[in-house]
Amino acid sequence: MSNTILSVLDLALINQGDTTQQALESAADLAVYLEQLNYKRIWFAEHHNSISIASSATALVIGYVAGKTSSIRVGAGGIMLPNHSPLVVAEQFGTLATLYPDRIDLGLGRAPGTDQATAFALRRQNMNAHFNFKSEIKELQTYFSRDNSSAKVRAIPAEGVDVPIWILGSSTDSAYLAAELGLPYAFAAHFAPAQLYNAIEIYKREFKPSHVLAKPYVTVAVNVIAANTQDEATLLAKSQQMMFLNVVTGQQKLLQPPTELPDIYYRPDVNRVVENMLTCTFKGTKETLKPELSKFIKELGLDELIVASAIYDKQAKKKSFAILKEVMDSL
């Protein structure tokens, strides 16, 4: 398990009291810090119509952060492919990988990353685009291929540029697709853990070797809140709990400082949904996190753990990632 790679999923969350510019600057500052700690990669996710997330123009954020760092891999976790033309995605990520060689990752999802009204604004007359996910991935792979040099439509400068493509998902559908295409698979257990174990089992069982991978490569995203004491970790985690509560209740709020949770959090129907979403959340000290994460990684046979941490205090967030790195290095 000491070989399990450790990475970060960052939403470039906007704190209450901060500007969007400050959120993006903080994301870059965190990436520099993670690079110093020898984290493997930092990914940014495409979400739309959310006042608390600054990474909607994901490719631009990746370029900004890659320019502030020198070795950590920077990528999309992910680009919601049905929102975009595969040609445009190839051009964007081909450009990024040309500017920052061997440092750019492209994780692909099929969901809109937003509500239905915003999805329509993004997709217009292409609201059924998610049904074409497989064919659009293959189209995207074609644009990156050197073999496309004689085609009428070419992606410049993507052609022949190495940009690893990942399949992201929160269901068994994505597991079957990643296995069929022989691509690395990342499961979004940080907010949709219900089908985690089934999806990983399917991916490993159905995997077909490809020119990309000879064997399955499994990554799972989870939430981790680490601190010097259990009480501190519990307190810090309240910002994350409020963030998920806002999602469930349809509230648009910036990331809030940790305070006592409102009464609605404990209403049985609401609490059940929020707590289920947070099933794959680990909070505690170095001593308590080690056995929990060790068991989780071993059960799933993970090649990589990618961590989300919705912590309001920026220094506490850095401290959490430092503690987590110590934990993973000791496994």
Side-chain angles (χ1 to χ4, degrees), residues 10 23-33 42 44 64-65 68-69:
D10 192 359
L24 292 170
E25 290 172 347
S26 294
D29 179 65
L30 177 63
V32 171
Y33 183 71
I42 182 168
F44 296 93
Y64 169 65
V65 172
K68 297 286 186 179
T69 53

Side-chain angles (χ1 to χ4, degrees), residues 120 123-128:
F120 178 76
R123 299 180 178 184
R124 294 298 181 180
Q125 304 305 316
N126 199 24
M127 286 296 287
N128 293 320

Side-chain angles (χ1 to χ4, degrees), residues 16 20 40 47 59 82 116 119 144 153 165 169 217 252 254 282 328:
Q16 180 177 300
T20 304
K40 176 70 173 181
H47 289 277
Q116 286 300 304
F144 280 115
V153 179
I165 291 176
Y217 189 94
Q252 284 270 21
L254 302 179
F282 303 87
M328 292 295 290

Side-chain angles (χ1 to χ4, degrees), residues 12-319:
L13 292 169
I14 307 170
N15 282 0
Q16 180 177 300
D18 278 359
T19 64
T20 304
Q21 180 179 349
Q22 287 173 313
L24 292 170
E25 290 172 347
S26 294
D29 179 65
L30 177 63
V32 171
Y33 183 71
L34 294 172
E35 185 172 79
Q36 294 169 354
L37 292 176
N38 290 319
Y39 274 71
K40 176 70 173 181
R41 72 186 91 241
I42 182 168
W43 278 358
F44 296 93
E46 177 187 344
H47 289 277
H48 300 278
N49 198 28
S50 173
I51 67 169
S52 63
I53 296 175
S55 58
S56 57
T58 317
L60 295 178
V61 176
I62 291 169
Y64 169 65
V65 172
K68 297 286 186 179
T69 53
S70 59
S71 61
I72 192 170
R73 298 189 66 88
V74 189
I79 292 294
M80 301 298 105
L81 186 55
N83 291 344
H84 311 278
S85 156
L87 175 61
V88 171
V89 175
E91 290 172 340
Q92 290 176 344
F93 279 80
T95 301
L96 286 168
T98 300
L99 291 170
Y100 308 104
D102 197 32
R103 293 185 56 210
I104 303 298
D105 296 321
L106 176 53
L108 300 171
R110 79 170 83 208
T114 188
D115 57 87
Q116 286 300 304
T118 308
F120 178 76
L122 287 163
R123 299 180 178 184
R124 294 298 181 180
Q125 304 305 316
N126 199 24
M127 286 296 287
N128 293 320
H130 59 285
F131 292 116
N132 303 321
F133 190 44
K134 176 181 173 181
S135 64
E136 292 197 338
I137 290 171
K138 290 188 172 182
E139 181 182 347
L140 185 57
Q141 289 177 313
T142 298
Y143 287 133
F144 280 115
S145 171
R146 294 186 186 278
D147 297 336
N148 200 52
S149 60
S150 60
K152 288 185 178 180
V153 179
R154 300 170 63 186
I156 309 297
E159 211 167 88
V161 175
D162 181 25
V163 179
I165 291 176
W166 300 60
I167 301 297
L168 313 183
S170 57
S171 71
T172 55
D173 289 346
S174 58
Y176 280 110
L177 181 58
E180 179 186 350
L181 298 179
L183 293 174
Y185 183 47
F187 191 92
H190 63 297
F191 75 92
Q195 298 186 52
L196 169 62
Y197 285 85
N198 284 342
I200 300 304
E201 191 276 329
I202 288 168
Y203 172 66
K204 290 182 176 181
R205 185 186 71 227
E206 301 292 329
F207 183 84
K208 298 177 181 178
S210 68
H211 71 281
V212 177
L213 286 178
K215 60 181 181 179
Y217 189 94
V218 180
T219 300
V220 172
V222 300
N223 302 297
V224 176
I225 311 290
N228 289 330
T229 68
Q230 194 70 38
D231 287 345
E232 183 184 1
T234 299
L235 176 62
L236 293 173
K238 292 186 184 298
S239 296
Q240 177 180 265
Q241 290 170 290
M242 278 299 303
M243 182 179 75
F244 278 83
L245 174 64
N246 292 334
V247 171
V248 171
T249 57
Q251 301 294 309
Q252 284 270 21
K253 293 182 180 180
L254 302 179
L255 186 67
Q256 298 167 279
T259 58
E260 288 302 315
L261 298 169
D263 290 343
I264 191 173
Y265 187 88
Y266 301 101
R267 203 175 78 187
D269 56 332
V270 173
N271 185 260
R272 187 181 310 110
V273 175
V274 176
E275 290 298 322
N276 283 343
M277 292 175 72
L278 290 171
T279 298
C280 287
T281 296
F282 303 87
K283 57 179 183 285
T285 65
K286 182 165 59 176
E287 291 73 25
T288 61
L289 287 172
K290 182 175 179 178
E292 293 176 0
L293 288 172
S294 177
K295 179 183 178 183
F296 182 78
I297 292 167
K298 184 177 181 179
E299 284 180 348
L300 288 165
L302 298 187
D303 298 290
E304 185 168 346
L305 188 71
I306 189 162
V307 174
S309 296
I311 298 175
Y312 180 85
D313 183 276
K314 295 167 188 176
Q315 293 306 311
K317 188 172 184 176
K318 287 182 176 180
K319 178 67 174 178

